[in-house]
Amino acid sequence: MASQPTYDSSRWQSRIATLTPPSSNESIRINYIDCPPPSTSNAKGTICLIHGFPQTSYQFRHVIMPLSDAGYRVIAPDYRGAGQSSKPLSGYTKSQMASDIHTLLHTTLSIPHKIHIVGHDIGGMIAFAYARLFPSHTASLTYGECPLPGTTLYDSIRGSPDVFHFLFHRIPDLPEALIAGREDIYLKHFFDKQSANSAFLGQADLQVYVQAYSQPGAMRAGLDVYRAFEEDARENREWVEREGKMRVPVMGLVGGEFLLVEHTEGMLGEMHEEGFGVAVVEGAGHYVAEENPEGFVEEVLGFVEGIKGE
């Protein structure tokens, strides 16, 4: 497998913050990348990128600098349980994981304005929870590449062979035992199965993810993210019943060759007011920011730069 060109990290700051979200009694450490815009540009706001499984913030390595060069401060955390962040035994509902990130952005980093939230896969579920919980702190929401728990799409696909891992990951203990020592085989299965650009992930890139999920507690935490799906579904359904559809500006972002591309608009329609759009990035499967980073950047900037009143 050939890797894409080396990415530019010259303005990145890699940090670990210890924080205690209001929704939790325990402190956790969240690792994150913080990339300020060039000193010569007019600051336009902040974009937070939330990764998926089986990835870390590394998945955004090709898009952080281009987004920052456009005038945005870019924050890319490793969510709870992933990368260099803490791997506690609980707290994997997407509402708790969103609360972690909100605390990082607005308490630890003291960002005063609304944030553009961009989520992929599991990160899309977290991004939705963020906008649901903190609409007054959300400038816009971009997400996709996930069947959102609580939607008809999620209910219809969760038992499908195409997403066998939704059920497999929910089994206590057994998946961890079977995957241990075979993380490279297991992770590569997902990348091979769900990508359209077979050259997007070099061997060195794969090893970044293998090393991340080979750490003590990392695979258990990654699977606990899935074990919380039914609670996530309950929370999302109850929220829509209570509050109505989301009014935060939203765009669905999906790869043109992703399994669920044709279902994205319908899924968003269940959860969001009319006026949302769906951007389809051609030449990409599930891993849009890695398979077609230029397309990812173009669609994200095209959306967020049209948002007023941060």
Side-chain angles (χ1 to χ4, degrees), residues 14 41-42 69 77 82 91 121 143 153 158 164 213-214 236 244 280 304:
S14 296
S41 69
N42 294 322
D69 285 342
D121 184 69
Y143 77 110
L153 176 59
R158 61 182 173 179
F164 78 93
Y213 283 94
S214 298
N236 288 339
V280 178
V304 302

Side-chain angles (χ1 to χ4, degrees), residues 236-255:
N236 288 339
R237 285 193 296 264
E238 291 182 355
W239 176 81
V240 172
E241 292 171 0
R242 183 177 66 251
E243 303 292 339
K245 294 182 180 181
M246 185 177 291
R247 298 172 180 84
V248 169
V250 62
M251 178 180 74
L253 183 63
V254 60

Side-chain angles (χ1 to χ4, degrees), residues 103-173:
T103 301
L104 171 69
L105 297 174
H106 290 284
T107 301
T108 303
L109 299 180
S110 301
I111 298 174
H113 48 260
K114 294 181 179 181
I115 309 293
H116 297 285
I117 301 294
V118 180
H120 164 261
D121 184 69
I122 298 296
M125 301 176 187
I126 299 169
F128 177 84
Y130 188 104
R132 172 171 65 81
L133 292 170
F134 310 108
S136 63
H137 291 166
T138 307
S140 71
L141 168 64
T142 300
Y143 77 110
E145 301 292 319
C146 65
L148 184 70
T151 64
T152 302
L153 176 59
Y154 170 78
D155 289 339
S156 67
I157 200 173
R158 61 182 173 179
S160 165
D162 287 320
V163 290
F164 78 93
H165 57 292
F166 278 31
L167 297 179
F168 178 56
H169 289 181
R170 289 174 58 186
I171 301 170
D173 301 326

